[in-house]
């Protein structure tokens, strides 16, 4: 009794000492367990926060992969089975979409291949749906490292999660045998084989008994379950920390447990016991230390966690909820009754402001046409080969000998020279001479063959006078020409940093300078040259340079190859860069009839683009796309991002011989008008005669590229001047742009290089199909096109579009686009179906189609007839 009274009065040392020991013990445990009390350096703190961010990100990725796998496990397992495990293909750049040339199924997991492989490994190969606990473990540890606070005890979470994962996997494996038509992803292989081993040893009943024993054992350890199936924790307060429970039980053997419990909850109950002053002060000092240190750490972690800028301790959560309720009630109740009018006015202002382009850009950013293929990778220079040294070798003896022969030949004809200099190129050396006063230039030009004879050269070209210079140029082929590789041209800073819309790297000039032209400003290019002189290599160089510089969303090619073998290498990039007519199997056009339809389809595309430019009040494609990117054009009105379209015809002479006017008319229209709407033409031919390159076509091709031709007549046909017949071949060419005539050595790109570039692009993820051009139906066709539409394949909006057309009495594709909010291709197909059904008339160029039904009543009767026929 004396001891008890002493403790009650607080005057003895026994109770005080025990209370102090209890408080100090609690502080030691807290300090040992508190992450904040460890003295980390600044670098270690940053490293732990970065590790925490990484673990939280990993938890999120696991969650996305696992949840998606529950719905896509069939497709994901099919892909993994087809790739023999799948992990070896993780870094493979093969196209993930279904392609007719491969049998690998499509991965449907929201996290792609990595998500499918990860989820399959954890859920199917290992522990089944119990693997979701890994997400909890990663989140708890990541949160601990980032904010230095524990949502759950870390070590207990690891231990309990490990035991629970194993137990659930085995339990689901046991239940799996009694459930039919259930996917084998509940238990995983661990649960399945563990059950098979247990059942073979102790049978089904023994396995069930073992699982029940493990479950009850866990409940006894966790909740002190007794044999009467009542939980002791229901009679008292459940302890949060097992280590604290054990130490508090030990302390209760020497002191009263009520005192300790009241200290842990920070409640002072003076009516029962009188606590010493040291206990609350010690406890308060520990709490204050946490409250002082926490804000510093939270301030440092703000830049690392954007979504949770102000994390709060676990303890005051209830208090913050109560404050939130007290604040929210007056905010939502009072203004609704007293300020209805102002709220409606503000809403209207906000709605009007949201329509403006600036607000849309601020909210969503500028429109990104590359977003559909945001992961597209441009070809690398490693795909191309390096030919030659890339440096010009100077043969001083050859230069001196050629100079002496030129001077001597001119002196033989009484022509004196004041000065001569040489400019060495990769294949040709330019000798510039300044004759003495009184010498007629025409006299020197007439000596072209004599100089060639004296030099014993393959071909001499005299430029008299040279543009912009007071000299006369004599171009002499080198005895050992240097090959110009495409890789050396594309690797130059001039090409890498060019701002041209459609840069084409042609090669090097006679002064050894890289020559890059802008096809958008040419705006069309006419290529001619005899067989074997480098014409096909030149076209490959044009295509390759554009592929290295442009994104698939910015550029589309229409390839016409009557020879069927020259452009076949580019078939692999069909879903990235090629454009074709709808319902066509091949994107590279080889049939003459399809060429005519494609050219007329491009004319329709040109007319539509001009309509869009007119509605947008701009003058060219560049201004239109800039306006669309800045969200100043409404897609619901038919506006869309317009890529450049480059039409390349490899052998134009064959088309002119087989089709004639049917090809010349659309080509002439495109050459005259298409430049402003981003459609550019590259036409190549072996025969630059007047019946192939007519005056109408030639007048609209100011840029002409001439390889070596066989006669002066052909040279004058293509260049309007001589010189192309004196080229040395093997890529030696003349480029005429206006009045300028530039000699260039074409960059060489071999067929295997083109194949590798096409393979690199084609192996990446692309669009579902090639870019579709507008449908065109030949009025003189032989049953191909709209007349063969199957009634069963009519569009779902066929009848609605028919009513719309009859109501407005206007057979227009753009009308269907605007009213039904469809894309152009689908609207065009509906128009063609309406024509096949006899509701609208045939295509009449820029005019709207004729509507063949005057009112809705007659249309409904006809539609009813169509339904009965189907």
């Amino acid at each position: 009794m004396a001891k008890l009274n002493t403790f009650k009065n607080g005057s003895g040392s026994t109770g005080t000492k025990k209370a102090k020991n209890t408080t100090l013990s609690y502080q030691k445990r807290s300090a040992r367990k508190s992450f904040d009390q460890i003295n980390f350096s600044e670098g270690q703190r940053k490293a732990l926060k970065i590790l925490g961010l990484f673990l939280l990100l990993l938890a999120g990725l696991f969650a996305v992969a696992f949840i998606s796998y529950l719905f896509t496990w069939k497709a994901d397992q099919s892909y993994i089975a087809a790739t023999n495990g799948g992990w070896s293909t993780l870094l493979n750049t093969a196209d993930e979409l279904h392609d007719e040339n491969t049998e690998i199924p499509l991965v449907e997991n929201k996290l792609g291949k990595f998500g499918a492989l990860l989820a399959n490994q954890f859920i199917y190969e290992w522990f089944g749906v119990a693997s979701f606990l890994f997400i909890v473990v990663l989140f708890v540890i990541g949160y601990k490292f980032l904010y230095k606070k524990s949502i759950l005890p870390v070590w207990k979470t690891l231990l309990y999660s490990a035991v629970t994962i194993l137990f659930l996997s085995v339990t689901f494996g046991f239940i799996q045998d009694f459930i039919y038509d259930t996917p084998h992803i509940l238990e995983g292989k661990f649960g399945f084989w563990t059950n098979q081993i247990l059942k073979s040893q102790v049978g089904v009943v023994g396995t069930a008994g073992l699982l029940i024993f493990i479950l009850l054992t866990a409940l006894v350890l966790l909740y002190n379950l007794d044999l009467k199936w009542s939980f002791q924790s229901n009679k008292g307060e459940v302890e949060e920390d097992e280590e604290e429970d054990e130490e508090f039980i030990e302390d209760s053997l020497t002191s009263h447990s009520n005192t300790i419990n009241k200290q842990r909850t920070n409640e002072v109950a003076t009516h029962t016991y009188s606590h010493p002053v040291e206990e609350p002060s010690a406890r308060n000092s520990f709490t204050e230390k946490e409250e002082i240190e926490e804000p510093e750490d939270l301030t440092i972690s703000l830049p690392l966690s954007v979504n949770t800028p102000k994390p709060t301790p676990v303890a005051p959560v209830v208090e913050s909820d109560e404050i939130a309720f007290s604040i929210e009630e007056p905010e939502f109740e009072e203004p609704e009754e007293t300020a209805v009018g102002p709220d409606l006015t503000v809403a209207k202002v906000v709605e009007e402001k949201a329509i403006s382009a600036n607000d849309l850009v601020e909210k969503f950013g500028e429109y990104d046409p590359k977003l559909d293929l945001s992961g597209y990778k441009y070809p690398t220079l490693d795909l191309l080969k390096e030919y030659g040294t890339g440096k010009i070798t100077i043969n001083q003896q050859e230069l001196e000998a050629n100079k002496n022969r030129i001077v001597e030949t001119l002196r033989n004809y009484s022509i004196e020279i004041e000065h001569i200099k040489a400019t060495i190129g990769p294949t040709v050396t330019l000798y510039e001479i300044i004759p003495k006063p009184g010498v007629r230039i025409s006299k020197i030009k007439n000596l072209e063959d004599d100089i060639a004879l004296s030099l014993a050269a393959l071909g001499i070209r005299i430029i008299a006078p040279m543009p912009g210079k007071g000299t006369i140029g004599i171009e002499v082929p080198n005895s050992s020409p240097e090959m110009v590789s495409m890789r050396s041209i594309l690797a130059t800073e001039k090409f890498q940093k060019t701002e041209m819309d459609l840069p084409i790297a042609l090669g090097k000039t006679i002064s050894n300078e890289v020559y890059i032209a802008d096809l958008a400003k040419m705006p069309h290019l006419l290529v001619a040259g005899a067989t074997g002189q480098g014409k096909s290599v030149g076209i490959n160089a044009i295509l390759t340079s554009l592929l290295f510089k442009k994104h698939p969303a910015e550029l589309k090619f229409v390839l016409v190859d009557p020879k069927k073998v020259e452009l076949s290498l580019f078939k692999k990039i069909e879903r990235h860069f090629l454009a074709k007519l709808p319902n066509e199997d091949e994107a590279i056009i080889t049939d003459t009839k399809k060429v005519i339809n494609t050219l007329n389809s491009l004319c329709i595309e040109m007319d539509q683009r001009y309509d869009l430019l007119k509605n947008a009040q701009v003058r060219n494609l560049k201004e239109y796309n800039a306006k669309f990117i800045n969200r100043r054009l409404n897609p619901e009105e038919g506006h869309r991002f317009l890529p450049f379209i480059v039409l390349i015809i490899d052998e134009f002479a064959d088309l002119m011989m087989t089709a004639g006017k049917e090809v010349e008319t659309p080509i002439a229209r495109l050459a005259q008008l298409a430049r402003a709407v981003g459609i550019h033409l590259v036409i190549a031919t072996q025969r630059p005669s007047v019946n192939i390159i007519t005056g109408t076509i030639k007048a609209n091709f100011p840029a002409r590229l001439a390889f070596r031709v066989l006669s002066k007549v052909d040279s004058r046909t293509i260049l309007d001047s001589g010189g192309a017949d004196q080229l040395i071949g093997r890529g030696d060419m003349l480029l005429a742009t206006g009045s300028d005539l530039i000699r260039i050595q074409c960059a060489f790109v071999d067929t295997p290089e083109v194949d590798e570039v096409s393979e690199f692009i084609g192996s990446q993820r692309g669009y579902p199909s090639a870019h579709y051009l507008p449908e065109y139906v030949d009025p003189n066709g032989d049953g191909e096109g709209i007349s063969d539409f199957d009634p069963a394949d009519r569009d779902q909006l066929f009848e609605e579009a028919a009513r719309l057309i009859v109501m407005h009495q206007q057979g227009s594709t753009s009308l269907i686009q605007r009213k039904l909010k469809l894309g152009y291709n689908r609207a065009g197909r509906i128009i063609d179906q309406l024509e096949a059904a006899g509701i609208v008339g045939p295509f009449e160029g820029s005019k709207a189609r004729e509507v063949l039904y005057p009112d809705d009543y007659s249309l409904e009767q006809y539609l009813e007839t169509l339904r009965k026929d189907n």
Side-chain angles (χ1 to χ4, degrees), residues 384 399 404 412 419 495 556 559 606 628 674 714 781 802 834 852:
L384 303 177
L399 292 176
N404 294 334
N412 291 337
H419 178 73
F495 181 81
K556 300 298 176 184
L559 302 182
M606 177 185 68
F628 188 84
D714 290 342
L834 292 173
L852 303 179

Side-chain angles (χ1 to χ4, degrees), residues 245-549:
D245 288 345
E246 294 175 0
E247 295 187 11
F248 284 162
I249 291 172
E250 293 176 0
D251 292 339
S252 65
L253 298 177
T254 57
S255 63
H256 295 272
S257 60
N258 292 336
T259 304
I260 305 302
N261 291 332
K262 291 174 183 177
Q263 290 175 359
R264 291 180 59 206
T265 55
N266 292 327
E267 295 179 0
V268 180
T270 56
H271 63 281
T272 306
Y273 297 109
S274 175
H275 291 281
V277 178
E278 291 82 359
E279 290 181 2
S281 63
R283 176 61 178 166
N284 291 338
S285 64
F286 177 76
T287 306
E288 290 174 0
K289 186 175 182 181
E290 289 183 341
E291 293 175 352
I292 292 173
E293 291 180 353
E294 281 296 323
E296 292 184 8
D297 297 329
L298 292 175
T299 303
I300 294 173
S301 66
L302 278 176
L304 299 176
S305 179
V306 179
N307 296 328
T308 57
K310 192 176 180 181
T312 57
V314 178
V317 168
V318 177
E319 297 179 5
S320 64
D321 289 342
E322 293 175 356
I323 295 173
F325 282 119
S326 64
I327 292 174
E328 288 177 0
E329 289 179 359
E331 285 183 357
F332 286 94
E333 289 182 0
E334 294 180 4
E336 289 180 357
E337 297 177 359
T338 59
V340 177
D343 285 350
L344 293 176
T345 304
V346 172
K348 291 180 180 178
V349 173
V350 172
E351 185 177 356
E352 293 175 359
K353 188 177 180 181
I355 300 175
S356 65
N358 292 333
D359 290 342
L360 289 175
V361 172
E362 290 180 3
K363 185 175 182 180
F364 302 105
E366 293 183 344
Y367 173 77
D368 185 7
K370 303 178 183 179
L371 196 59
D372 290 339
L373 294 183
S374 57
Y376 174 79
K377 295 181 180 179
Y378 291 86
T380 59
L381 294 176
D382 298 336
L383 302 173
L384 303 177
K385 296 180 181 179
E386 185 69 61
Y387 298 96
T389 60
K391 297 180 180 179
I392 302 299
T393 56
I394 301 176
N395 189 336
Q396 196 66 35
Q397 295 179 353
E398 179 184 354
L399 292 176
E400 192 69 23
N402 288 340
K403 182 198 74 170
N404 294 334
R405 289 171 184 170
I406 292 173
V407 173
E408 183 180 353
T409 303
L410 294 176
R411 281 178 179 171
N412 291 337
Y413 294 92
S414 302
I415 299 174
E416 296 294 332
I417 298 174
E418 286 188 350
H419 178 73
I420 184 170
K421 71 173 183 177
T423 303
I424 306 172
T427 58
V428 175
T429 299
L430 173 64
Y431 294 88
E432 294 183 60
I433 61 175
I434 301 177
K436 287 187 176 181
V439 177
R440 298 181 62 181
I441 296 177
S442 61
K443 190 175 181 181
I444 299 177
K445 292 188 68 174
N446 294 331
L447 296 176
E448 190 172 71
D449 294 335
D450 299 284
I451 296 175
L453 178 63
S454 65
L455 296 175
L458 180 62
I460 298 296
R461 194 171 77 98
I462 295 179
I463 310 170
M466 291 195 67
K469 298 181 180 180
T471 60
I472 297 173
I474 302 175
E475 295 175 351
V476 181
N478 296 336
S479 58
S480 56
E482 181 73 21
M483 183 177 291
V484 178
S485 65
M486 176 59 72
R487 177 171 179 171
S488 64
I489 301 297
L490 300 185
T492 58
E493 184 178 0
K494 185 176 182 180
F495 181 81
Q496 295 293 331
K497 295 185 177 181
T498 181
E499 297 296 331
M500 298 179 181
D501 293 326
L502 294 175
I504 52 176
L506 294 178
K508 289 186 178 181
T509 64
I510 56 177
S511 58
N512 204 35
E513 295 179 357
V514 174
Y515 189 87
I516 299 173
D518 189 358
L519 181 60
K521 293 182 178 179
M522 283 185 172
H524 311 296
L525 182 62
L526 188 61
V527 183
T531 303
Q533 305 304 315
K535 178 169 53 64
S536 297
V537 175
I539 293 178
N540 286 339
I542 292 172
L543 286 166
T544 303
S545 56
L546 290 175
L547 292 177
F548 268 80
K549 200 65 179 176

Side-chain angles (χ1 to χ4, degrees), residues 64-139:
V64 172
F66 287 2
I67 294 173
S68 177
Y69 186 79
L70 296 180
F71 302 93
T72 64
W73 61 275
K74 290 184 179 179
D76 294 347
Q77 285 188 2
S78 299
Y79 169 81
I80 294 171
T83 55
N84 296 325
W87 284 106
S88 60
T89 64
L90 181 61
L91 299 179
N92 195 345
T93 59
D95 192 0
E96 290 299 327
L97 298 176
H98 181 71
D99 189 83
E100 61 184 2
N101 297 326
T102 181
E103 297 180 358
I104 297 179
L106 178 68
V107 174
E108 296 181 3
N109 195 289
K110 296 298 183 183
L111 212 59
K113 282 196 298 184
F114 177 76
L117 294 170
L118 183 70
N120 186 77
Q121 187 68 41
F122 277 83
I123 296 179
Y124 182 77
E125 296 290 338
W126 287 350
F127 305 113
V129 295
S131 300
F132 276 86
L133 288 174
F134 284 102
I135 301 173
V136 178
V137 173
L138 291 173
F139 185 85

Side-chain angles (χ1 to χ4, degrees), residues 21-75:
N21 292 337
T22 303
T23 305
L24 293 174
S25 176
Y26 180 77
Q27 290 180 358
K28 290 179 180 179
R29 290 194 307 273
S30 301
R32 183 179 66 252
K33 298 175 63 173
S34 176
F35 188 78
D36 301 339
Q37 303 302 317
I38 304 176
N39 294 324
F40 291 105
S41 65
E42 188 66 22
Q44 290 174 331
R45 287 196 187 97
K46 293 180 180 179
L48 288 173
K49 289 177 181 178
I50 294 173
L51 179 60
L53 280 174
F54 175 75
L55 292 177
L56 291 177
L57 173 64
L58 203 60
L61 295 178
F62 271 53
V64 172
F66 287 2
I67 294 173
S68 177
Y69 186 79
L70 296 180
F71 302 93
T72 64
W73 61 275
K74 290 184 179 179

